[in-house]
Structures are given as structure tokens and as C-alpha cells.
Amino acid sequence: MGAYKYVSELYRKKQSDVMRYLLRIRCWQYRQLTKVHRAPRPTRPDKARRLGYKAKQGFVIYRISMRRGGRKRPVAKGCPYGKPKTSGAVKQQKPERNLQSIAEERVGRRLKGLRILNSYWVGQDSTYKYFEVIMVDVHHAAITRDPKINWMCNPVQKHRELRGLTAAGKSSRGLGKGHKFNQTKGGSRRANWLRRNSLKLRRKR
């Protein structure tokens, strides 16, 4: 086994004494830092490399802390005014997307010149979850000349995280193969609904 395999095996036993101690110390350190900050190197090099990171110019790691918990409904004075149809619960609501996807979005809005490749979990405590986001500087020559990563330079890859194209963003879109994913046949939920709800009168021409 290579060195990275040993590191990844460590992370599979998060409740071992070593990992519990390490994660607790790291969370304490992250709490002292700002919400979004640049990390000098990936905390989990094995995970970062599996997600596409390379220790070369043009790749940047940013760490973000996300407040844990559900999403309270944003209504004035905690009362949903209006029709009875809209008067549902205010608390006990959950966001559509997971915290990791929202974390990518926040980093992407903060650093508009960089593009998001992927992200991964690095720790959590009672209040926050911490993620590290792999970002790519698409204007750097080391990126534009590398055939393995220069697909990120295409204009269509701008703000992938805002359109649910990263791995964390895709998880809430219901994409996949097989009978469990019938609701997104044809590309997306909306495309599937539109195809089934539009009248097509094909005639011979």
C-alpha cells in the first residue's frame, strides 16, 4: 500500500483515539480563523488528489466554515401571512441542497476569478461543519497548457457550483440511472415534467 492509502484508512476510523484527538484540535484551530480563508495546503492530501487536486501552480485550497442546522423559513415576524395554502411550518425546515453544496457556492461568490473543481469534508463540531474547496486559476499558464485540467478553462464551466455541476451540487438533482431515477429522465426534473406535460401533434409532412 502507498502512503496515501494509509492516510485514507486513518480517515475511515474517525472514532479512533488518534482521529478524535486530531479532529478536535483542528476544529479548535478553524474556529479561530475567519469563515472563508485560504489553506496553505490540503488537510487531506489523499482526498484532494482523488478529487483532482495537484500540488502545482494554478491550484488553490480554500477552507470554509458552515453553520450547522436546518433552514428557518424567511418570513416576516415568524408568521407566513397570506393564503392558507402558504401557511406551513416556519421551523423544522431543511434546505434542498446539502451544506457542502452551499459552501461551494459561498466560496465561488467570494472568489469570482477562480473556478471550483470539487470540495470535501475536513471536520465538524456542534456549531460548524468545515469544508475545503479545490479551486483552479484558469488564467494560469500551468492550467491552460495541461490537457488533463484545461477543460476547466471553457466558458461553459463558469460558476459550475451555482448550477449544480459539482459532485456536491449534483447530489440534490436526482440524477442517475435505473428505476430509482425515473423523475429525471431526459436531463432534469424540469425537462422530464415538460416532456410529459406538453402536447405533441406530429403530422406527416
Side-chain angles (χ1 to χ4, degrees):
M1 289 199 303
Y4 287 120
K5 185 69 175 170
Y6 280 106
V7 177
S8 58
E9 284 296 317
L10 269 176
Y11 266 89
R12 294 180 68 177
K13 307 280 190 296
K14 292 186 178 65
Q15 286 193 315
S16 65
D17 290 350
V18 174
M19 285 310 296
R20 282 175 66 182
Y21 177 72
L22 261 180
L23 292 171
R24 199 166 80 230
I25 295 292
R26 279 182 189 156
C27 282
W28 175 87
Q29 184 196 1
Y30 300 157
R31 273 201 304 274
Q32 317 309 315
L33 302 169
T34 53
K35 289 278 190 293
V36 179
H37 55 270
R38 184 175 172 177
R41 62 182 62 81
T43 307
R44 300 174 63 184
D46 60 312
K47 183 69 171 173
R49 283 176 61 82
R50 271 180 292 165
L51 296 178
Y53 173 81
K54 291 278 189 258
K56 59 185 268 183
Q57 293 176 322
F59 282 89
V60 192
I61 298 282
Y62 270 83
R63 198 180 294 120
I64 178 169
S65 63
M66 295 291 295
R67 189 170 275 274
R68 295 176 63 179
R71 175 183 178 274
K72 188 182 169 190
R73 197 162 148 201
V75 286
K77 301 178 188 171
C79 308
Y81 297 103
K83 299 285 176 70
K85 184 176 125 177
T86 62
S87 64
V90 174
K91 295 184 178 178
Q92 303 283 319
Q93 303 289 301
K94 281 48 171 190
E96 285 279 319
R97 295 182 297 148
N98 57 26
L99 277 180
Q100 187 172 342
S101 174
I102 299 167
E104 289 177 351
E105 179 183 335
R106 286 189 188 170
V107 176
R109 287 185 192 280
R110 180 73 63 89
L111 301 145
K112 298 179 176 64
L114 302 176
R115 295 197 187 160
I116 290 180
L117 178 61
N118 228 317
S119 65
Y120 54 92
W121 176 95
V122 285
Q124 66 188 53
D125 54 26
S126 61
T127 315
Y128 295 104
K129 276 194 179 185
Y130 301 97
F131 299 100
E132 281 183 3
V133 183
I134 305 166
M135 310 196 74
V136 178
D137 180 4
V138 291
H139 304 294
H140 199 289
I143 300 297
T144 54
R145 292 171 186 165
D146 185 351
K148 287 183 178 174
I149 193 64
N150 64 6
W151 56 269
M152 281 281 280
C153 303
N154 295 339
V156 75
Q157 301 296 342
K158 289 178 182 176
H159 287 292
R160 312 167 64 231
E161 72 285 350
L162 299 180
R163 296 174 289 131
L165 300 183
T166 58
K170 274 186 178 175
S171 64
S172 63
R173 288 171 55 195
L175 302 176
K177 290 185 176 179
H179 70 279
K180 293 181 180 177
F181 302 98
N182 287 337
Q183 79 274 23
T184 51
K185 274 183 183 172
S188 66
R189 284 194 185 96
R190 185 175 179 280
N192 185 30
W193 177 88
L194 192 63
R195 191 182 69 252
R196 284 190 287 103
N197 285 275
S198 39
L199 182 64
K200 295 187 183 72
L201 300 170
R202 299 166 69 96
R203 67 189 182 88
K204 189 177 177 185
R205 297 189 185 278

